[in-house]
Amino acid sequence: MPDNPHPIDNLKLRSEEVQEIITTPPAWLIRWGITLVFIITCGVIFLSFFIKYPDFIMSRVMVTTLEPTEKTIARTSGQIDKLWVSNGEKVQAGQPLASIKSTADVNSVELLKNLLDRIPFGKNNGFFFPLDSLSDVVLGEIEPAFVEFERSYMEFRLLERLQPSVVQLEGNRQSIQEIHERLNSQLAQKEILERKVHLVETDFKRNKMLYEGGVIAAKDFESREMEYLQMQEQVNGMTISISQLQEALVNAGQTLKSTQVSKEQDESRALINLIQSYHGLKRSVKEWERNYMLVSSTDGEVSFQGVWGEHQFVQAGEQVFSILPEQRSELLGKMIVTSQNTGKITIGQRVLIKLDNFPFQQFGTLRGEVGSISVSPDEEGNYVVYSSLPEGTKTSYGKDIQLKQELLGTAEIITEDLSVAERLFFKLKSVTEY
């Protein structure tokens, strides 16, 4: 049986093209391909630990001043009675902007308010309020409080001018003085009478001894005894009179004290009523201003919100004016962020703000930092995040944006930079949790 042919001899059984491929040595890519793929794979894995890109949390943002823009809201529905400012005018804190029509005259209320603020109040300075200058005022809703103040003021002034208790006090003092004089006179008379009684008593004892010795007659002794008894009776009557005067003096003192207490009570009652009615009138004026006057509470620039002139009707709760504060150096961004991923937000994280009014492709973005985060969500489950703007309105392109209003836009909060490997690890870890 012949030996098996050598494998190389089998090549002769194939075509020349196949033999050429089989007999040609493989290229280096084929020889080292697996090794190269392994090295590249290891390199990618190695680089995935160093290649990082940030996470963003998107939200809407409103850029405003640290002192927020004031929104003047109408508290009462009605027609605009007067406009004291024009659109874009500079205003100061406390300056009236407009008034809404009511049953009270604006000038009358302003006159009353100036008088209440200008005239000092107090008992010691002789409080005087010129009611005559308010005889023709039309106060409308304030009228009841003004009438109460007028009544209390007239009662206080009448009591202060007439002083009815002073006459009673003076009469009580005179009565006490007269009782004192009568009492002193009675005491002096009693002292004289007591001396007479002593002399009569001595004479009576002497006559008694003479009568007992039979020197004088019984009739003479009895006349001396009668004289002695009469003197004692006068002393007893004088004692009773003095006691009555002392009692009258005590009663007069009590009457004086009662009159003084009554005087203090009347004056205090009148003063308290005046003070209460005074402050009640001031509260009524403030309440009227709160309902019918639109006043600026800050210095800034006023902007009309749909109000163009007098006699225009506004609804209660409608925004009539906006006042942009003068202090605009410090800005902040207010963001409403959903609860999802808010745990990643921390103080000091960078914020990129893209304004709706100024396209970021042309003007750039504003740069901010997270300044504070609300500790609890609102009713809709959102958190309020405030960011400071250290560079103000200077954009990333170096352009300064003039802030003339509140600016709206989109904010990107850069929470953290994670590598590709960390993100894959978190994915794998979340899968293994299940």
Side-chain angles (χ1 to χ4, degrees):
M1 183 174 181
D3 296 333
N4 290 330
H6 193 273
I8 194 67
D9 296 336
N10 294 332
L11 296 175
K12 297 179 181 179
L13 301 176
R14 299 177 176 87
S15 63
E16 295 180 358
E17 292 80 2
V18 175
Q19 292 182 12
E20 182 179 1
I21 294 173
I22 294 175
T23 56
T24 301
W28 69 272
L29 181 61
I30 297 176
R31 295 196 304 270
W32 299 95
I34 297 175
T35 304
L36 184 61
V37 170
F38 177 75
I39 293 174
I40 293 174
T41 303
C42 292
V44 170
I45 295 174
F46 179 77
L47 292 176
S48 67
F49 287 93
F50 296 95
I51 299 175
K52 297 182 178 181
Y53 62 93
D55 269 350
F56 294 95
I57 295 180
M58 306 285 292
S59 71
R60 294 294 295 172
V61 63
M62 180 177 65
V63 178
T64 183
T65 56
L66 185 61
E67 183 180 354
T69 300
E70 180 185 356
K71 301 181 187 299
T72 306
I73 306 298
R75 299 183 180 275
T76 305
S77 300
Q79 289 181 323
I80 297 294
D81 187 19
K82 287 186 179 181
L83 280 173
W84 284 287
V85 294
S86 57
N87 195 15
E89 182 180 339
K90 298 289 185 180
V91 296
Q92 297 179 348
Q95 179 177 345
L97 306 177
S99 64
I100 300 175
K101 287 185 178 180
S102 70
T103 56
D105 180 66
V106 177
N107 296 328
S108 298
V109 177
E110 190 67 19
L111 174 61
L112 176 60
K113 179 187 176 184
N114 291 335
L115 290 175
L116 290 173
D117 294 338
R118 187 176 70 251
I119 298 176
F121 180 82
K123 180 181 178 182
N124 296 330
N125 58 17
F127 177 68
F128 175 77
F129 194 85
L131 288 176
D132 296 339
S133 62
L134 300 174
S135 58
D136 298 329
V137 295
V138 180
L139 299 178
E141 294 90 341
I142 309 174
E143 190 70 29
F146 178 75
V147 171
E148 179 64 22
F149 169 74
E150 185 179 22
R151 184 191 63 78
S152 300
Y153 176 75
M154 295 300 295
E155 180 182 348
F156 176 79
R157 293 291 296 175
L158 187 64
L159 186 64
E160 187 179 45
R161 185 175 70 254
L162 298 180
Q163 293 290 327
S165 299
V166 173
V167 179
Q168 297 179 6
L169 289 174
E170 186 64 25
N172 291 335
R173 292 190 182 97
Q174 291 180 359
S175 178
I176 291 174
Q177 185 177 359
E178 291 176 359
I179 294 173
H180 267 296
E181 292 176 355
R182 290 170 59 189
L183 181 60
N184 293 333
S185 177
Q186 292 288 337
L187 290 174
Q189 291 180 7
K190 181 182 178 183
E191 184 178 357
I192 296 173
L193 190 60
E194 286 177 347
R195 291 177 62 186
K196 288 182 178 181
V197 169
H198 178 69
L199 294 175
V200 172
E201 183 181 5
T202 302
D203 184 61
F204 169 72
K205 290 180 179 180
R206 186 183 302 115
N207 284 278
K208 183 178 181 181
M209 292 175 61
L210 293 173
Y211 170 72
E212 290 176 352
V215 178
I216 62 174
K219 183 177 180 180
D220 294 333
F221 172 73
E222 291 174 357
S223 62
R224 295 291 185 273
E225 185 178 9
M226 180 65 68
E227 184 180 357
Y228 174 66
L229 294 174
Q230 288 177 352
M231 293 300 297
Q232 283 186 336
E233 185 178 1
Q234 291 181 11
V235 172
N236 293 334
M238 185 68 68
T239 302
I240 294 172
S241 178
I242 292 173
S243 176
Q244 290 175 346
L245 288 175
Q246 290 176 341
E247 183 180 1
L249 183 63
V250 172
N251 294 333
Q254 293 178 349
T255 303
L256 177 63
K257 291 182 179 179
S258 299
T259 306
Q260 289 175 339
V261 171
S262 178
K263 177 178 178 295
E264 294 293 333
Q265 288 178 345
D266 292 340
E267 292 178 351
S268 299
R269 187 182 302 107
L271 181 60
I272 291 173
N273 292 336
L274 180 59
I275 293 174
Q276 290 178 347
S277 61
Y278 175 82
H279 291 295
L281 181 58
K282 294 191 74 171
R283 284 195 301 271
S284 296
V285 172
K286 290 183 179 180
E287 185 67 20
W288 184 90
E289 286 185 329
R290 179 176 177 272
N291 292 329
Y292 297 101
M293 293 289 293
L294 303 177
V295 182
S296 172
S297 61
T298 184
D299 298 339
E301 181 180 333
V302 64
S303 174
F304 286 18
Q305 299 291 125
V307 174
W308 303 106
E310 297 180 357
H311 309 298
Q312 182 175 347
F313 190 85
V314 294
Q315 292 284 352
E318 179 181 353
Q319 182 178 348
V320 183
F321 302 104
S322 294
I323 300 175
L324 186 65
E326 289 184 350
Q327 297 295 333
R328 307 176 191 174
S329 57
E330 296 187 36
L331 304 178
L332 58 84
K334 179 182 179 182
M335 295 167 283
I336 306 297
V337 183
T338 59
S339 58
Q340 185 177 4
N341 294 328
T342 52
K344 297 181 179 180
I345 302 176
T346 57
I347 306 298
Q349 290 176 339
R350 290 186 301 152
V351 181
L352 300 180
I353 300 175
K354 301 175 182 178
L355 300 176
D356 296 341
N357 305 47
F358 303 91
F360 74 94
Q361 297 90 343
Q362 179 181 355
F363 294 90
T365 60
L366 299 179
R367 301 169 183 173
E369 294 181 358
V370 175
S372 63
I373 309 170
S374 61
V375 296
S376 60
D378 57 17
E379 296 177 354
E380 299 178 357
N382 299 324
Y383 289 83
V384 180
V385 180
Y386 290 97
S387 72
S388 60
L389 279 72
E391 300 180 8
T393 56
K394 186 177 181 180
T395 66
S396 57
Y397 290 173
K399 297 182 179 181
D400 286 325
I401 296 176
Q402 187 175 5
L403 182 65
K404 291 187 176 181
Q405 57 186 347
E406 293 178 338
L407 300 176
L408 299 177
T410 303
E412 297 178 353
I413 304 175
I414 302 175
T415 57
E416 56 183 343
D417 291 337
L418 294 178
S419 64
V420 177
E422 287 175 321
R423 296 177 187 276
L424 292 175
F425 175 76
F426 289 150
K427 292 289 184 181
L428 293 175
K429 186 176 181 181
S430 63
V431 171
T432 58
E433 289 292 334
Y434 297 98

